Amino acid sequence: MAIKDDETMRDHWRCFVACGLMVLSPFQYGIDFGLIGGLQAMPGFLRIYGHPAPETAIGWNISTVRQQLITSLMTLGAFVSSATAGLVAAKFGRKACLWAACLGCVVSNIIMMTTTNINALYIGRLLNGLANGYFMTFSQLYIRTSSNSSSLQESSPAKYRGLFLTGFQFCTSFGTLIGTIVDWATASRQDRSSYLIPLGLIYIVPLLLTIGMFFIPESPRWLILQDQLDRGHKSLQWLRPAGAQVDIEVAEIKAAIDKEREMGSEVGILDMFKNPVDRRRTVLAVCGVTLQAATGSMFIISYKAYFFTMAKVSDPFAMGCVLSAIGLLAIVLNSFIVVRYGRRRVLLMGGLGSCGILQLIVAVVYDKNPGAKVTGEVLVALSCLYMMSYNGMVATYAWLSGGELPSQRLRSYTFGLAAAVAFFAAWLTTFTAPYFINPESLNWGPKYGYIWFPSSIIAGIWVYFFLPEVHGRTLEEIDEMFEENLPAKKFRKYQCVRRLAMDEKTEVQHKE
């Protein structure tokens, strides 16, 4: 059942409330990245976990290994929890998994705030990563799989799916900005309060989510998948506008699930690769989400304050706030594009190309004149342009493309795998970056961009040849196009036979 063109956002206000609550999850993820990178450039933090380094701009530094583990253990934990999301999702609802994430986040933060032992800090970071993996995976599954039945998304109508997922990316960037601003405000403190105050922010989202989820329904598709038709019906009634044909929608979801079960009574991890269609969709989903990592974004997002400090940029924490604010502005501008234009392929290729070229220019400029004031100014300006390109054209569409392409019956497994690979790529970047930017190791600084230029260009070429355009398509239409084995370039203009038949049937029913 397609959404009527005359239905407005006001008609779907309950759905917007539910999905609005879900997008607090990426806010939590963004706060973590905004905070942790800044802590590593704070004297108050470095007095406990670092060591004196008179040759650096702030007189303190942290060892490469500690820097690697503090940042990368979070993404490693997210990788582990995302990789197991498919198994967990088969038995537990989206809300139950998010409540577990809230508990894990609070426990991890208690550890990080009460310890001065580096090993305990590592444990806290790993637990925090496990929680963030669940936050990012299950909140997106809820948004993607609670919408109208013809798209078989759980919550968000297909008409507004891009907007919700843009909101998802907006909250990630907004969280990063808030974390960066708080770091800036406390960086001058010389005691533990410099980093304990920022860490205190981590309690806010788990508290709001824990309470808020008592007032929204479980994913209707997940309930129907568990043969809980009555609860699924009630969930849809809550999410849909008054007068919506919920009975028809439940029947469509049930029919689609039954069809999926006919194709395989038992669905497991290996089913993602058994037949050519599922294998193609799995590879596309995984590679689509991983496009973010190809730009080297995690290196800038995770270490911007440290990176600017060691590159001798004036007021590095303030410049980190400017960088985060520019990234947030790009998301806002993008919200006007994703619903009206939405051409994923074009925007992704443009964004990847821009990010790669800007990384190259940053590397060349710093290589020619390192340490100069004008170089620092150029570095900040180019980094802002980079963040505009990344947030505006890559980050949103990477998650969006990766989330729309998995096979229906394998959605939890495939999206869990895609998120896990994306987190693994993020972990690899955050783990290896200190070797390149830390003065105690290679000390490349901004020259690290030489690596990310070819990576971004190769990713853009892959999008051109392999990533299909599915803007405005329901998931049933996407199923049909994949079953027809269409090449990526033909997806956008393809006329779906089943959709035409469904529209004709609906017209007949309305006449009757």
Side-chain angles (χ1 to χ4, degrees), residues 42 76 97 294 338 367 500:
M42 290 182 180
L76 179 62
C97 293
V338 69
D367 201 7
L500 293 173

Side-chain angles (χ1 to χ4, degrees), residues 147-162:
S147 74
N148 81 330
S149 65
S150 64
S151 63
L152 290 180
Q153 300 294 300
E154 288 179 17
S155 290
S156 59
K159 181 178 179 180
Y160 301 117
R161 190 166 66 227

Side-chain angles (χ1 to χ4, degrees), residues 22 25-26 98 134-143 168:
M22 288 297 110
S25 295
L98 286 169
Y134 271 19
F135 277 136
M136 294 296 283
T137 301
F138 288 103
S139 58
Q140 291 195 69
L141 280 174
Y142 187 97
I143 292 173
F168 198 92

Side-chain angles (χ1 to χ4, degrees), residues 234-301:
K234 290 179 181 178
S235 177
L236 278 171
Q237 278 188 318
W238 192 94
L239 290 164
R240 298 292 170 260
Q245 296 176 311
V246 175
D247 291 336
I248 295 175
E249 191 167 352
V250 170
E252 288 177 349
I253 295 176
K254 185 68 168 63
I257 290 172
D258 289 341
K259 182 180 178 181
E260 293 165 8
R261 286 171 173 168
E262 287 177 9
M263 297 174 66
S265 58
E266 293 293 334
V267 175
I269 295 175
L270 296 180
D271 290 305
M272 291 188 289
F273 307 98
K274 281 185 177 179
N275 70 67
V277 173
D278 288 335
R279 185 162 56 245
R280 180 189 180 193
R281 298 181 72 166
T282 297
V283 171
L284 288 173
V286 170
C287 293
V289 174
T290 313
L291 288 172
Q292 296 181 99
T295 64
S297 59
M298 295 306 299
F299 140 62
I300 293 179
I301 294 171

Side-chain angles (χ1 to χ4, degrees), residues 46-59:
L46 296 175
R47 289 177 190 276
I48 296 173
Y49 297 110
H51 58 266
E55 71 281 3
T56 64
I58 57 174

Side-chain angles (χ1 to χ4, degrees), residues 56-75:
T56 64
I58 57 174
W60 294 87
N61 199 4
I62 188 170
S63 71
T64 301
V65 172
R66 288 190 173 190
Q67 190 175 31
Q68 287 175 310
L69 293 175
I70 289 171
T71 303
S72 68
L73 279 173
M74 195 280 277
T75 48

